[in-house]
Amino acid sequence: MVVKTIEGSGPVRILIIDDEPAMHDSYRQCFVAKNDGALNAMAADLFGDDDHPPKATDAAPDFALTHAMQGLDGVNEVERALAEGNPFAVAFIDIRMPPGIDGRETAKRIRALDPDINMVIVTGYSDFSPIEIAKVAGPADKIFYIAKPFEVDEIVQTATALGKRWQIDLELAEARATLARQVVTLEEQGRELAANESKALHMATHDSLTEAPNRLAFLRALTERARGRERFATAMLDLDRFKLVNDTLGHLAGDEMIRSVYQLLNAAVPEGGMVARLGGDEFGILFPTPGEEAAVQACELMLRRMSVTLTLVGHSVQANASIGVVVVEAEPVRDPVDVMRQADLALNEAKRAGRGLVRAFDESMDDSIKFRRRIEGGLGEAIARGELKLVYQPIVGRDALDITGFEALLRWFSPEYGAISPAMFIPIAEESNLIHDLGDWVVETALAEVQNWPGQYVSINFSPRQFRRHNFVAHLVECVQRAGVSPERIQIEITETAIFDDADRAADTLYRLRQMGFRIALDDFGTGYSSLYNIRKFALDCLKIDRSFIDGMGRERESAAIVHSIIHLGRALGLGVIAEGVETDAQVQALRLAGATHLQGYFFSRPVDADAARAMAELGQVEGKDDPGDSPAVYQGNGTDG
């Protein structure tokens, strides 16, 4: 590699090639004295640097002269200078130098060695035109001409200007090289990020044991098909007596059996279908079907294909399974969770009937259907009867564990049925206009309660149907104005499902809410459909990590990786990250270390009534949790509330 001379590091090296000794003396005389002002003026004249007049402090550079009497001698000097890493900036070349090679040939050979050198052809008479010389020794902008006899200032000014230009050209070349290296580095980093994103996405949606799609991927695929316009079947498969294999042959044998069964099922699933491992020995299957009879036949064929004798750790084991299947019609759009529940009910019926069977779902298997209808009838009167109430679960900051807000959670206590789970009555309300009446009651009650707290915000969940209400923003603004509550104290929780159907409309709604001052939290993050593009597109304040990932952190490598990825994503986008479902001290420490900004769950408090929430808000901390290092006894709840 040639190390080029840069400005300030030494004299400008000049090569003089001429066969007349007197000319060399003339060159020496030229460089004895230097007129600084004239040199700078000449440089400006040559290169049009009118916008940058010479400074008083600018001085002409020092010159180091090397003399050659013949063209070949000059070529050798250039070659030697390059080898030493100290090349010439300018070469003054006589055009006629008998008996050796002429100036044109000399310039050609020098240019072949050093593409950066500036050459000045000096002659009283030339056998070649400038164009002919430029053709062999170009580019033309690096070849200049001076006629003999020359003036001292003419030589020195030319050397000064070309020396500076040479230095500038080298600096520009280095800058371009640096930029090129940076571009290459950025491209490599981009490829690495893309590979990491692809790997993280694969880990989040695939089972580590079998490489099959996991429950999350299955639920997404089921949701997509449920929104489509084609009939399809959803089947749940469970291995028969799998626990016996684990207990007698060990978990390695059980793992090998799971892998083998997945491969057999994947080969037997109808075209256009998918097989996912949902957990343990349970598999979910989706495939297109013309009807229930065809779906049952396809499932029976899959059972026969996978009911083979497997060799596991030296033992022969017969693989058998049971399947429950439900056919989903093109209309109306079905709730994916309800479809899975019905397939599970059919699977349970197949096991009760003797195992190794296929059973299709029918409503007689679901006693809860009649119950749901009765619930729907009573839900409309629940508000008037005073059967609804809100409970509040604190949201604490990571560092001091201080209470920054409360999530409002709806409860229904029916005189006829007792406490009814929100998981039961919210979907029923969502299917009818009752969800708007319930939602208005929740907002009104929460706004009245937040005024009793010293400064915390209240987080309110909104269903997809509420969020798509045509006057949603105006209605919410009217509510807070009527209650006299600042929008900054209201956090709107929505799920990915709520914004996925119409992303553009959702983005506009969220933007207007943020403009009004409301806080926006994306709930159950990681279980829906958000892409990185959508997260950047929507006006959000924070992400809430779904409790299923928190619960799996200590047991599943995938869950821990997803939690860390969500936290890092939130931090990169400047969003807060709330971890829901925190139940153990180990989870608290791991989440704080990972960088979650807020925590929520049974470890800190179960949902409490309004009076208890007021006391907590006044205290500012969950009782007994004022020291982040404390590890009091943990309430082991069922995880449905936090």
Side-chain angles (χ1 to χ4, degrees):
M1 176 181 177
V2 175
V3 179
K4 304 290 188 179
T5 302
I6 60 173
E7 188 171 0
S9 64
V12 177
R13 299 198 67 202
I14 305 294
L15 175 63
I16 298 168
I17 308 173
D18 200 298
D19 62 334
E20 297 181 22
M23 290 305 301
H24 287 278
D25 291 337
S26 297
Y27 280 109
R28 292 187 183 96
Q29 291 293 329
C30 289
F31 291 102
V32 168
K34 302 181 287 291
N35 184 327
D36 295 348
L39 297 180
N40 286 315
M42 181 61 178
D45 236 11
L46 283 174
F47 300 110
D49 198 15
D50 297 334
D51 295 333
H52 301 282
K55 299 178 182 178
T57 55
D58 288 344
D62 292 330
F63 297 100
L65 305 184
T66 299
H67 297 269
M69 300 301 294
Q70 288 292 324
L72 288 176
D73 296 336
V75 173
N76 292 335
E77 290 291 347
V78 170
E79 191 170 14
R80 183 183 302 110
L82 290 169
E84 294 172 352
N86 192 18
F88 294 103
V90 185
F92 289 88
I93 305 172
D94 185 22
I95 200 67
R96 287 188 165 190
M97 293 180 289
I101 61 175
D102 57 30
R104 176 176 175 272
E105 182 64 22
T106 301
K108 175 183 176 182
R109 297 190 186 186
I110 289 176
R111 178 64 70 210
L113 292 171
D114 187 349
D116 297 320
I117 192 170
N118 292 290
M119 291 186 285
V120 182
I121 306 300
V122 184
T123 184
Y125 175 78
S126 175
D127 296 322
F128 308 102
S129 68
I131 294 177
E132 291 176 303
I133 298 174
K135 283 182 178 179
V136 299
D141 64 342
K142 288 186 178 292
I143 301 179
F144 302 87
Y145 301 87
I146 291 179
K148 292 181 181 180
F150 49 70
E151 298 291 333
V152 171
D153 285 348
E154 186 179 13
I155 292 296
V156 177
Q157 290 167 0
T158 301
T160 300
L162 294 181
K164 288 184 177 180
R165 172 187 170 161
W166 181 80
Q167 292 163 348
I168 292 170
D169 287 347
L170 291 185
E171 291 167 1
L172 287 174
E174 179 58 30
R176 292 190 188 98
T178 300
L179 182 60
R181 290 192 295 269
Q182 291 173 342
V183 169
V184 170
T185 300
L186 288 173
E187 290 174 346
E188 291 175 350
Q189 291 175 344
R191 287 191 292 270
E192 183 178 353
L193 284 173
N196 289 339
E197 183 179 356
S198 177
K199 182 179 179 181
L201 179 61
H202 183 84
M203 289 175 59
T205 57
H206 286 77
D207 170 53
S208 60
L209 176 63
T210 61
E211 287 297 308
N214 61 11
R215 179 178 290 272
L216 176 59
F218 182 78
L219 186 58
R220 287 180 175 177
L222 175 55
T223 303
E224 287 291 333
R225 291 187 186 239
R227 297 173 187 275
R229 293 294 181 265
E230 295 183 0
R231 182 186 294 113
F232 69 95
T234 301
M236 296 294 171
L237 179 147
D238 196 75
L239 297 182
D240 295 336
R241 301 180 179 85
F242 177 71
K243 186 175 184 298
L244 183 62
V245 175
N246 272 338
D247 292 345
T248 58
L249 301 180
H251 288 282
L252 290 178
D255 289 348
E256 182 57 35
M257 186 174 188
I258 292 293
R259 282 192 289 266
S260 298
V261 167
Y262 169 67
Q263 292 170 1
L264 292 168
L265 286 174
N266 202 41
V269 69
E271 185 177 355
M274 72 171 289
V275 179
R277 185 189 178 205
L278 306 183
D281 61 332
E282 185 180 19
F283 294 86
I285 307 168
L286 298 174
F287 58 91
T289 185
E292 185 175 286
E293 183 178 351
V296 171
Q297 291 176 353
C299 289
E300 289 175 342
L301 177 60
M302 284 187 279
L303 273 190
R304 289 196 297 272
R305 294 280 182 85
M306 58 82 52
S307 297
V308 298
T309 300
L310 303 174
T311 301
L312 308 174
V313 294
H315 295 79
S316 295
V317 176
Q318 181 65 35
N320 289 294
S322 302
I323 296 181
V325 61
V326 58
V327 174
V328 181
E329 300 294 336
E331 294 287 350
V333 174
R334 294 286 301 278
D335 178 5
V337 175
D338 193 49
V339 172
M340 291 179 66
R341 183 184 60 82
Q342 291 180 350
D344 266 328
L345 289 173
L347 173 60
N348 293 336
E349 181 65 24
K351 286 186 173 291
R352 283 195 296 268
R355 303 178 186 273
L357 301 172
V358 176
R359 286 290 182 267
F361 171 80
D362 65 69
E363 290 196 5
S364 65
M365 298 177 183
D366 190 358
D367 293 334
S368 66
I369 289 180
K370 294 179 181 179
F371 176 72
R372 285 168 59 91
R373 290 171 181 165
R374 290 196 295 269
I375 291 295
E376 183 175 357
L379 186 57
E381 301 175 0
I383 298 176
R385 293 175 178 175
E387 296 172 4
L388 300 177
K389 69 176 292 188
L390 287 184
V391 293
Y392 304 88
Q393 187 171 42
I395 300 170
V396 303
R398 176 189 65 183
D399 297 323
L401 301 185
D402 54 313
I403 298 177
T404 60
F406 292 82
E407 181 177 359
L409 300 165
L410 182 60
R411 296 291 182 265
W412 179 18
F413 296 90
S414 167
E416 183 178 0
Y417 302 110
I420 302 176
S421 169
M424 172 63 75
F425 69 81
I426 291 297
I428 294 175
E430 179 77 5
E431 293 170 4
S432 66
N433 286 326
L434 288 173
I435 192 64
H436 298 305
D437 295 332
L438 284 181
D440 290 345
W441 182 89
V442 169
V443 170
E444 180 181 346
T445 306
L447 290 176
E449 186 56 36
V450 74
Q451 299 178 73
N452 298 315
W453 304 338
Q456 292 88 353
Y457 65 84
V458 63
S459 194
I460 304 173
N461 291 277
F462 289 87
S463 74
R465 188 162 183 176
Q466 285 177 277
F467 186 71
R468 291 191 290 268
R469 195 174 182 174
H470 75 278
N471 61 341
F472 178 71
V473 176
H475 180 72
L476 205 55
V477 170
E478 181 184 354
C479 289
V480 297
Q481 289 177 343
R482 186 169 57 247
V485 176
S486 171
E488 285 82 5
R489 299 190 66 188
I490 309 300
Q491 178 166 279
I492 298 170
E493 288 197 25
I494 57 172
T495 63
E496 295 174 81
T497 304
I499 62 178
F500 180 74
D501 285 345
D502 189 345
D504 291 335
R505 183 177 182 275
D508 178 67
T509 300
L510 294 178
Y511 173 78
R512 289 191 289 141
L513 289 169
R514 281 286 301 277
Q515 290 291 98
M516 297 293 180
F518 292 96
R519 306 159 64 100
I520 310 294
L522 189 58
D523 196 17
D524 298 339
F525 184 73
T527 63
Y529 307 91
S530 289
S531 66
L532 180 58
Y533 170 77
N534 282 337
I535 295 302
R536 294 172 58 230
K537 178 179 180 180
F538 296 130
L540 302 173
D541 290 287
C542 68
L543 308 175
K544 297 193 76 173
I545 306 176
D546 185 70
R547 69 189 76 253
S548 62
F549 299 128
I550 305 299
D551 181 58
M553 283 179 63
R555 304 189 309 273
E556 301 170 355
R557 175 173 58 89
E558 294 85 354
S559 291
I562 291 171
V563 169
H564 280 265
S565 297
I566 293 174
I567 291 174
H568 291 162
L569 173 63
R571 292 174 63 184
L573 297 177
L575 303 177
V577 178
I578 301 174
E580 294 185 289
V582 180
E583 295 189 0
T584 69
D585 181 68
Q587 291 172 347
V588 172
Q589 301 308 322
L591 289 165
R592 292 173 70 195
L593 186 64
T597 59
H598 294 82
L599 309 173
Q600 177 184 353
Y602 282 135
F603 181 83
F604 304 101
S605 173
R606 285 185 287 175
V608 297
D609 62 22
D611 291 337
R614 293 178 197 174
M616 285 184 181
E618 288 292 339
L619 184 63
Q621 290 185 317
V622 179
E623 189 173 356
K625 300 291 182 179
D626 52 336
D627 182 354
D630 288 347
S631 301
V634 178
Y635 172 80
Q636 296 294 337
N638 61 14
T640 58
D641 296 315

